[in-house]
Amino acid sequence: MKTTFDLENLDCANCAAKMEAAVQKLDGIASARVSFLTQKMTLETDAVLSDDLLKKVVKICRRIEPDCKIKL
């Protein structure tokens, strides 16, 4: 299942790449794509994206780019 989220205040392409790499390592995430240019994150999962998995994604993103917000 593919889900796309808008990002707010993603300030650098390097941070986007770090987020993408870290989120892809999570169990349950088949692929992740973070675009600095479009300010979007696309997650592909085998099943419906659970709240627990989404919380882990948000935590990773906050750790890498504290000002970045995922619009849920």
Side-chain angles (χ1 to χ4, degrees):
M1 174 171 238
K2 191 182 261 188
T3 310
T4 301
F5 299 98
D6 290 326
L7 301 175
E8 188 176 288
N9 298 326
L10 179 59
D11 293 331
C12 76
N14 188 40
C15 293
K18 287 179 182 179
M19 282 184 208
E20 186 176 296
V23 169
Q24 284 189 51
K25 292 179 183 177
L26 290 173
D27 288 336
I29 301 289
S31 72
R33 177 92 176 137
V34 179
S35 173
F36 172 69
L37 292 176
T38 63
Q39 299 281 300
K40 293 190 184 292
M41 174 187 285
T42 303
L43 303 176
E44 197 166 329
T45 57
D46 296 330
V48 176
L49 186 63
S50 69
D51 287 340
D52 186 46
L53 187 56
L54 187 56
K55 285 178 185 177
K56 290 178 184 178
V57 170
V58 169
K59 186 176 180 180
I60 287 170
C61 293
R62 280 193 191 144
R63 180 175 39 89
I64 294 170
E65 179 71 70
D67 294 332
C68 181
K69 294 180 183 173
I70 299 174
K71 295 182 183 179
L72 305 176

